[in-house]
Amino acid sequence: MLLVTIGLVLVALTVLFSFIPVGLWISALAAGVRVPIITLVGMRLRRVPPHRIINPLIKADKAGIEVSLDKLEAHYLAGGNVDRVVDALIAAQRAEIPLTFERAAAIDLAGRDVLQAVQVSVNPRVVETPVVAAVAKDGIELRVKARVTVRANIDRLVGGAGEETIIARVGEGIVTTVGSAEDHKAVLENPDSISRVVLSKGLDAGTAFEILSIDIADVDVGRNIGAQLQMDRAEADKNIAQAKAEERRAMAVAAEQEMRARVQEMRAKVVEAEAQIPLAIAEAFRQGRLGVFDYYTLRNLQADTEMRSSLAGGTGREEAAPPQGGEGR
């Protein structure tokens, strides 16, 4: 019976110590941070891991930063990273950067790494832009790569634009500066003119960073865009001229075919008219208006005309012969 009692006591103590973080309470007490044990029990009930709150609290107390236990727990319940916020506060204090817990918590909840922001504020970061292609007024393409030195602006971290905006604005400034140059050689001789012009535009407005400097890392000469455009324009003009010429040729061919059709139509009418001659002669024979002598005289004239045409080398049209049936009359 005694052994059973001892076992139940041990089980009860095990369950109690697993629910109440006595070890963490002792660590806080040893560090000089007084946390009521009932508060730790309340964290368990609110499903807040006590070590996520007590360890940052001990760290902040040792660094001389005053922060309440309720604020840390509220920030954790809001989805923030308590440990990172406390580390950022310690780093800002060491660097003499004014940063309150409320500001650090707001930056953390906004989705930004507040500790990294403090580090970038102390140690500026160099951001390298991709190769930016720009064309000067003489049509020569220049490929420019720049390095932008930025420092985090703590006051604008909430709601400020990120590095992508800085890179995009610097690229736009490079394209504008090179595009306004009369000659690409002037840009190659003074690449720092790009830095001066771009830096004077205030590209860091509305961003979470402050631009310290813009350095041109590399400038390469690319294609002759002006000449390429002229070649493309000439090729397009040539194609247009060829298309118009082909259109005129097709119209001429169509007109020629139409004229040939009309010639054939006229020839058909001539043949049709010539076919009426024998009929007219026969009708004249029947009505007595034409005699045999007159008919042979007409034939002699036709034969004489054909002979003269043959001797002259002509290609005159051969007349249709009158029907022989009328000769019987």
Side-chain angles (χ1 to χ4, degrees):
M1 186 64 180
L2 181 60
L3 293 176
V4 175
T5 304
I6 294 174
L8 292 176
V9 171
L10 290 177
V11 171
L13 290 176
T14 303
V15 173
L16 181 63
F17 287 133
S18 63
F19 188 76
I20 301 175
V22 178
L24 187 62
W25 177 74
I26 295 174
S27 298
L29 190 61
V33 178
R34 295 187 178 275
V35 180
I37 196 168
I38 191 64
T39 303
L40 301 178
V41 175
M43 290 182 185
R44 289 288 193 187
L45 295 176
R46 289 188 293 272
R47 296 184 179 181
V48 177
H51 68 278
R52 294 288 185 89
I53 306 299
I54 301 303
N55 290 335
L57 181 63
I58 294 173
K59 192 188 304 183
D61 184 76
K62 290 299 182 182
I65 298 175
E66 295 183 1
V67 60
S68 66
L69 187 63
D70 293 337
K71 289 183 178 180
L72 295 178
E73 188 175 355
H75 185 65
Y76 177 83
L77 291 174
N81 191 322
V82 178
D83 194 62
R84 186 165 55 195
V85 169
V86 172
D87 289 342
L89 290 173
I90 296 173
Q93 184 190 48
R94 296 294 186 269
E96 297 182 355
I97 298 175
L99 180 64
T100 62
F101 176 80
E102 287 74 13
R103 171 67 67 177
I107 295 172
D108 185 61
L109 292 177
R112 296 186 182 274
D113 192 337
V114 61
L115 178 59
Q116 184 181 16
V118 173
Q119 293 172 349
V120 174
S121 181
V122 176
N123 184 19
R125 180 191 302 175
V126 177
V127 180
E128 186 170 302
T129 65
V131 177
V132 179
V135 182
K137 289 185 178 181
D138 59 353
I140 303 299
E141 178 190 41
L142 294 179
R143 303 174 65 83
V144 184
K145 181 186 292 186
R147 290 189 177 95
V148 185
T149 305
V150 296
R151 180 173 59 195
N153 192 325
I154 302 296
D155 296 332
R156 293 204 302 256
L157 278 176
V158 178
E163 294 182 3
E164 293 79 6
T165 303
I166 294 290
I167 294 175
R169 290 181 179 179
V170 171
E172 180 184 359
I174 292 174
V175 172
T176 304
T177 305
V178 175
S180 61
E182 296 292 337
D183 191 349
H184 74 284
K185 295 180 181 179
V187 179
L188 294 176
E189 292 174 357
N190 299 300
D192 58 336
S193 60
I194 302 177
S195 302
R196 291 195 303 269
V197 174
V198 174
L199 193 59
S200 64
K201 292 180 178 294
L203 302 180
D204 53 2
T207 65
F209 299 93
E210 178 184 355
I211 298 179
L212 300 180
S213 66
I214 299 176
D215 303 309
I216 304 302
D218 188 21
V219 180
D220 295 327
V221 179
R223 299 171 298 168
N224 192 337
I225 302 297
Q228 185 66 36
L229 292 176
Q230 291 179 357
M231 292 173 59
D232 294 342
R233 184 181 301 172
E235 183 69 20
D237 292 342
K238 185 189 73 172
N239 294 334
I240 293 174
Q242 288 179 348
K244 291 183 177 180
E246 182 64 22
E247 181 182 1
R248 290 193 298 269
R249 187 191 68 80
M251 293 179 64
V253 171
E256 180 184 2
Q257 295 298 327
E258 184 178 357
M259 291 299 103
R260 288 183 179 180
R262 293 183 64 182
V263 168
Q264 294 297 328
E265 182 181 359
M266 294 299 103
R267 286 180 178 177
K269 290 182 179 180
V270 170
V271 171
E272 182 181 2
E274 290 176 348
Q276 299 296 326
I277 296 176
L279 297 176
I281 294 175
E283 183 67 21
F285 271 120
R286 283 195 295 270
Q287 295 181 1
R289 294 195 299 271
L290 182 67
V292 175
F293 181 77
D294 296 330
Y295 173 73
Y296 278 107
T297 302
L298 177 62
R299 290 296 303 272
N300 289 333
L301 289 174
Q302 290 176 346
D304 184 63
T305 302
E306 291 176 358
M307 181 186 65
R308 290 176 183 274
S309 299
S310 299
L311 292 176
T315 56
R317 176 179 45 83
E318 185 177 350
E319 298 291 341
Q324 299 299 325
E327 190 175 348
R329 186 178 180 88

